[in-house]
Amino acid sequence: MTLRKIALVGHPVLRQRAREVGREELETPAMQGFIDDLIETMRDANGAGLAAIQIYAPVRIVAIEVGDNPRYPYKPKIPLTVLVNPVIEVLGDETFENYEGCLSVPNLRGKVTRHARIRVTGWDRHGAAIDRTVAGISAGTYQHECDHLDGTLFLDRVKDPSTLATWENFERHHQAAFVAYVKEIVARYGQ
Ligand code: NI
């Protein structure tokens, strides 16, 4: 496995629409090795997720995993999930406010509105069907990662730029209120 370099905001690769991956291509040793690198790079950077496009490969693959994450200590856990060609369907019209960060946007966080309930369909890393309903904070994580595949960054969705904060200022001035809000969301949606 190889740790890959992560593209930073301003690099044009982050603004591309990533292309679909075919079944045969997915099974190649090169693509399976690439997915191993994606997972390893996400874990090394303490990301809650990483899209292939963030490591300069514009294909529709994302990895998501939330364990005991020092970047996001309040996030509900998500077991390692690799999504290939994911499609998100919004369920209902409930939304919540999520304070997001991104490995491609160093030292900046901001508040975005996310759908509270979604259905995610696609493939796992071997082409088996994935079909899951996700709610609450975890739904925000899925939406953030899948946005990358269409060249969208969380910055594009920040409605109020006054919410932007460095990580240090987030921790100092915003984290306590946000963690209290996250607890409400987790209580409401269960994940
Ligand atoms: Ni991101």
Side-chain angles (χ1 to χ4, degrees):
M1 277 178 282
T2 311
L3 291 179
R4 305 283 187 117
K5 193 175 168 195
I6 296 175
L8 299 182
V9 60
H11 195 290
V13 73
L14 293 171
R15 297 307 193 170
Q16 292 181 29
R17 183 190 182 276
R19 66 168 176 84
E20 274 77 13
V21 179
R23 282 185 184 279
E24 281 183 18
E25 182 186 16
L26 184 58
E27 279 306 323
T28 59
M31 190 58 89
Q32 289 296 315
F34 169 78
I35 291 170
D36 289 336
D37 290 353
L38 180 69
I39 294 166
E40 199 65 18
T41 304
M42 170 182 70
R43 287 175 170 166
D44 180 73
N46 291 320
L50 190 64
I53 204 165
Q54 291 179 272
I55 54 171
Y56 300 88
V59 290
R60 300 186 85 76
I61 301 177
V62 302
I64 293 173
E65 183 180 45
V66 181
D68 291 319
N69 190 319
R71 271 168 68 90
Y72 303 101
Y74 48 81
K75 273 192 188 243
K77 301 209 178 350
I78 303 175
L80 176 63
T81 300
V82 173
L83 292 168
V84 180
N85 302 331
V87 174
I88 288 181
E89 178 191 342
V90 175
L91 303 176
D93 52 12
E94 289 170 65
T95 60
F96 70 101
E97 301 298 308
N98 205 21
Y99 234 117
E100 300 193 4
C102 179
L103 293 175
S104 292
V105 184
N107 199 22
L108 198 64
R109 306 193 62 161
K111 207 181 264 190
V112 304
T113 303
R114 293 295 187 185
H115 300 290
R117 294 180 196 277
I118 58 170
R119 178 184 176 198
V120 185
T121 54
W123 300 340
D124 71 8
R125 65 181 292 170
H126 298 295
I130 286 181
D131 184 343
R132 58 177 72 157
T133 301
V134 190
I137 300 296
S138 299
T141 302
Y142 278 77
Q143 286 164 81
H144 176 114
E145 296 313 325
C146 291
D147 264 355
H148 277 299
L149 302 180
D150 293 323
T152 299
L153 298 174
F154 83 89
L155 295 172
D156 309 342
R157 298 194 183 276
V158 172
K159 284 195 198 119
D160 178 0
S162 74
T163 65
L164 292 171
T166 64
W167 281 69
E168 186 185 349
N169 279 333
F170 174 77
E171 283 168 17
R172 193 179 291 173
H173 301 289
H174 304 281
Q175 181 158 295
F178 182 59
V179 168
Y181 177 70
V182 165
K183 283 184 182 156
E184 285 175 35
I185 296 294
V186 171
R188 193 179 313 160
Y189 297 103
Q191 41 184 325

